[in-house]
Amino acid sequence: MLDSLGTDLSRGLSSREIPLKKKLFGENQLKEFRTTPPLAIFLNQFKDTITLVLLGATLISAYLGEIADAVAITAIVILNGIMGFVQEYRTEKSLQALREMTAPTARVLRDGKITVIPARDVVPGDVVILESGDIVPADGELFEAENLKIDESVLTGESVPVEKSAESRDQEGLKIHRSNLVFMGTMVVSGRGKMLVTQIGMGTEMGKIAGMIEEIEEEQTPLQKRLDHLGKQLVVICLAICVIVALLGVIRGENLYDMFLFGVSLAVAAIPEGLPAVVTMVLTLGVQRMVKKNVLIRKLTAVETLGCATVICSDKTGTLTENKMTVRKIYVDDGILTVTGSGYRLEGDFVTQDGRLLRDLPHGLKKLLEISVSCNNAELTEPKAGLLGKFLKSREVIPSGDPTEAALLVAAAKANILKSDVEKAYRRIKEIPFDSERKCMSVLVKSRRGELFLFTKGAVDVVLGLCDGIEVNGKLKEITDADKKKIIEINEDMGREALRVLAFAYKKVNLAQTSDTNLERNLIFVGLIGMIDPPRPEAKVAVEKCFSAGIRPVMITGDHRATALAVARELNITSEGGKILTGQELDDMSETDFLNCVDDVSVYARVTPKHKLRIVRALKKKGHVVAMTGDGVNDAPAVKEADIGISMGRNGTDVTKEASAMILMDDNFASIVAAVEEGRIIYDNIRKFIRYLLSCNTGEVLTMLWASLLGLPIPLLPIQVLWMNLMTDGLPAIALGADPPEKDVMSRKPRQKNESIFSRGMGRRIFYRGFLISLATIAAYLISNHYGHGDLSFARTVAFCTLIVSQLIFSFECRSESAAVWEQNPFSNLYLTLAVVCSAAMLFGVVYIPELQAIFRTVPLNEEVWLLILALAGLGAVL
Ligand code: ATP
């Protein structure tokens, strides 16, 4: 079948046509992401006022004849700029890479195969498959639609989902409501469909109003905002001190211009202007590390909040369990059968309770398996068997689609009931899709004899509620309360064995009933199928980690109470007698009662997505910082409400991904815990370099202040101040940002969400250590002045070296808030060791290379002096 755009609707576009189409129509996006060109990033490094003043002052120096000084200062400023540029460029690059990774995708039909491609690569003529939870990637026309409902509120403001069909029906005469048209950016709420793309990018309805949509700015994290604010306060304090120091110098009779240059240099060195940039860099580096642990961060804020998480609410299926289901037990014709075999291998038998192998398929079992195969959207494909595979007759298949449904196909295949045969025997006419609110799914089928049947499968309690008949050994009868009680008991027994149980039912439908909107009733119960979904072994370890880190894991599942409890017990999420709530119990509970018990409940069973929202809200009300996972389209509100919304990379929907702050690429609970750990490490490292930078700057400023108050000549010349800034502020600070974690990261309690960066004694410690650095430097200056008989160059060189060595020693102290320098392995952060060696080499260069001595006005020092410097600098680390 070909359409007007030349697309074969059954095969989609051919990949050969794509490059030309892309050339013709461009990318399918509303706006190009603005990336800052490297030159602009470089020039940005020089735009802050104080650096400009310094460059201005340098020009004056040059004019006054101090050419060497001017060249040296300019060179240092440029070197500083290069360092800032490298940091910022790397950050920009990794943010860009992240944007690429989290970009939306679309499922298109190309060359007859369904492929997932970035949504921006969709071209006109593409066939896009739409399913519940998808965000429509472009504008187009539907040519297939099954119960398709789309939320078009982004375009129309109307939040009630619009029903769509493959035929064009004008609704209310509005183009936007034409029932066969779908639009970019709208959300598929339920059903499925296929569309032919007609417009992309700016040509779409969304594109027409794109001008009205603000480009989303990368929002600053709370920490970045606070540091920005702090930075502004520090600028004022530093400037005030620099002015005082410079003025006192002038009063003492120093040259006005020299003092001005000194004041400005000190301001450049002391103002931690690079702080927000380093924070952003550390956050983005952390985000990159998280990618390696299968976590994609969509919002930087999440990185910070992760470290504060006190509760992690997780889905069960696929996140805590492997989502590799195997049918184990079947209840049919009032008897229980065990199914042997494992995973997706097609070998297996049906064994009766008395240990007999079933050779011939009883009528009831055949019917049950046929229903389970017909009411099913999964597929099994046989892998291309290699020589060895053929020889071994290995019959392991590759499943696609919902693992619950795939498990049913595998079980039926063990009885030689194959999907291809069942589809011929029962042609599907219509589907009432599964959704986690209804907890069941039905298909209307037509048999070879032309009879219509409704096949239903779903949660036992739900399906049982729809049944008024039961079929046992081929005989139909009315279902009694006793039958229901027995079925419920068997369901509970299977649940206690951690089996996920589905019930199956059917009914004959006459033609008149087919348009009945409430078709799922008066069903005939056929049987139960219980499947095992083993817990992930790594989830057990992760749960243990959570407890030792003061975080409570909570399981929220749509599954039955008994199954949920069995899995939770196996993973140690709850203990014997642990409190468990079902969705029904939650509905019957008042808000106050729920708030009173929410802290004790670790397992929620048979819940729907709307319960998830209530649970998040209650936990937040109790002061918790909540991480919450979600996959289905209805989970989006709860994921959005959570402090850290988590969506699933493999089985998640676009809508939930869009609402989430992070995506689990492997859908694995253990990855959430790894992300929390990483979040804590990142925050620790931010604290480490803030402690380092601010203590050092305090030390520098106080040294100058003491010297002025004591009426001494300035201890460091402007050029020395700038060189020191380059050596100490740059590399060691960045290296601290990449420090390996301390041992106790996951054995301490989560930090408070609104905790100030200076809390837990940090502010006091910064000031105290800065004070000690300044005392050591002033002492070195005074002693060398005394023994150097007033040789100012010598005294300044000693003060310069003491100030730098103090800071380099201190950089190692900053690696831990609890352990002293000598308790740490100095080589466990090789970056820091390298940074310190580099800085020390730069210091020796300035002190011993004659050409540099001339520029930096230094003199060579002997061993005894170095011993004095080391003693004074090291004293601060001991006190
Ligand atoms: P979790 O929320 O932990 O992922 P879950 O996968 O069991 O758990 P849902 O997908 O909401 O949660 O399923 C709820 C119930 O609906 C299941 O316990 C099962 O009884 C039933 N169910 C699940 N999948 C299907 C399906 N494909 N068809 C019919 N019923 C299903």
Side-chain angles (χ1 to χ4, degrees), residues 316-317 402 405 434 436 457-459 500 502 557-559 606:
K316 171 179 74 68
T317 314
D402 180 354
E405 298 188 343
F434 169 76
S436 39
K457 74 174 195 307
R500 174 183 177 82
L502 291 188
T557 176
D559 225 331
R606 274 285 184 262

Side-chain angles (χ1 to χ4, degrees), residues 279-337:
V279 173
T280 317
M281 190 188 67
V282 173
L283 287 174
T284 38
L285 282 183
V287 167
Q288 277 178 337
R289 277 201 304 273
M290 288 198 196
V291 172
K292 293 197 186 99
K293 295 184 174 169
N294 288 317
V295 174
L296 267 184
I297 296 289
R298 292 188 67 248
K299 293 175 190 153
L300 265 180
T301 324
V303 181
E304 266 171 55
T305 328
L306 270 169
C308 317
T310 57
V311 178
I312 302 178
C313 297
S314 170
D315 287 338
K316 171 179 74 68
T317 314
T319 314
L320 287 163
T321 63
E322 290 188 356
N323 213 0
K324 278 195 196 132
M325 317 247 182
T326 315
V327 171
R328 280 267 168 272
K329 285 212 166 147
I330 292 181
Y331 171 71
V332 69
D333 289 341
D334 205 17
I336 291 182
L337 299 170

Side-chain angles (χ1 to χ4, degrees), residues 32 135 174 186 192 327 377 402 405 419 545 572 630 647 871:
E32 284 284 329
I135 293 179
L174 281 173
T186 56
R192 60 180 84 236
V327 171
N377 289 318
D402 180 354
E405 298 188 343
K419 194 171 182 191
K545 251 189 180 178
N572 291 329
S647 61

Side-chain angles (χ1 to χ4, degrees), residues 314-319 325 375 402 404-405 434-441 457-461 500-503 555-560 606-607 609 612 631:
S314 170
D315 287 338
K316 171 179 74 68
T317 314
T319 314
M325 317 247 182
C375 186
D402 180 354
T404 306
E405 298 188 343
F434 169 76
D435 92 53
S436 39
E437 291 287 337
R438 294 186 327 112
K439 295 189 174 37
C440 66
M441 161 186 179
K457 74 174 195 307
V460 181
D461 28 349
R500 174 183 177 82
V501 191
L502 291 188
M555 177 201 277
I556 303 182
T557 176
D559 225 331
H560 189 267
R606 274 285 184 262
V607 289
K612 279 188 167 180
D631 43 18

Side-chain angles (χ1 to χ4, degrees), residues 20 108 128 148 272 280 342 352 354 448 466 505 578 640 773 791 838 847:
L20 181 67
V108 295
V128 176
L148 190 65
T280 317
S342 70
T352 60
D354 48 14
R448 281 205 181 100
L466 305 173
K640 204 165 197 162
I773 291 175
D791 179 353
C838 233
V847 175

Side-chain angles (χ1 to χ4, degrees), residues 103-223:
T105 54
R107 235 165 308 133
V108 295
L109 190 65
R110 284 186 184 172
D111 300 319
K113 276 194 273 252
I114 297 176
T115 5
V116 180
I117 59 165
R120 65 164 182 273
D121 291 339
V122 168
V123 292
D126 255 327
V127 171
V128 176
I129 323 280
L130 297 176
E131 271 178 23
S132 151
D134 285 352
I135 293 179
V136 180
D139 285 6
E141 280 171 24
L142 290 166
F143 60 92
E144 259 181 56
E146 187 113 42
N147 294 300
L148 190 65
K149 281 196 183 152
I150 294 195
D151 174 348
E152 291 185 339
S153 55
V154 271
L155 282 179
T156 60
E158 171 59 60
S159 61
V160 180
V162 184
E163 233 172 276
K164 296 281 175 179
S165 72
E167 292 96 47
S168 158
R169 265 182 284 121
D170 241 328
Q171 289 175 2
E172 299 153 34
L174 281 173
K175 189 178 172 220
I176 231 162
H177 279 148
R178 283 251 307 273
S179 61
N180 67 331
L181 297 184
V182 284
F183 305 95
M184 179 192 224
T186 56
M187 296 184 275
V188 183
V189 179
S190 63
R192 60 180 84 236
K194 282 185 187 160
M195 70 183 261
L196 176 75
V197 175
T198 50
Q199 290 287 351
I200 60 163
M202 293 305 281
T204 59
E205 291 294 320
M206 196 66 142
K208 287 182 197 146
I209 55 166
M212 284 146 55
I213 304 166
E214 288 290 305
E215 194 173 328
I216 306 159
E217 287 284 323
E218 188 62 57
E219 210 197 321
Q220 279 199 319
T221 73
L223 182 63

Side-chain angles (χ1 to χ4, degrees), residues 616-636:
V616 176
R617 287 196 173 138
L619 284 167
K620 280 176 81 173
K621 231 182 218 164
K622 293 288 263 190
H624 286 290
V625 176
V626 189
M628 164 72 90
T629 67
D631 43 18
V633 52
N634 302 336
D635 286 339

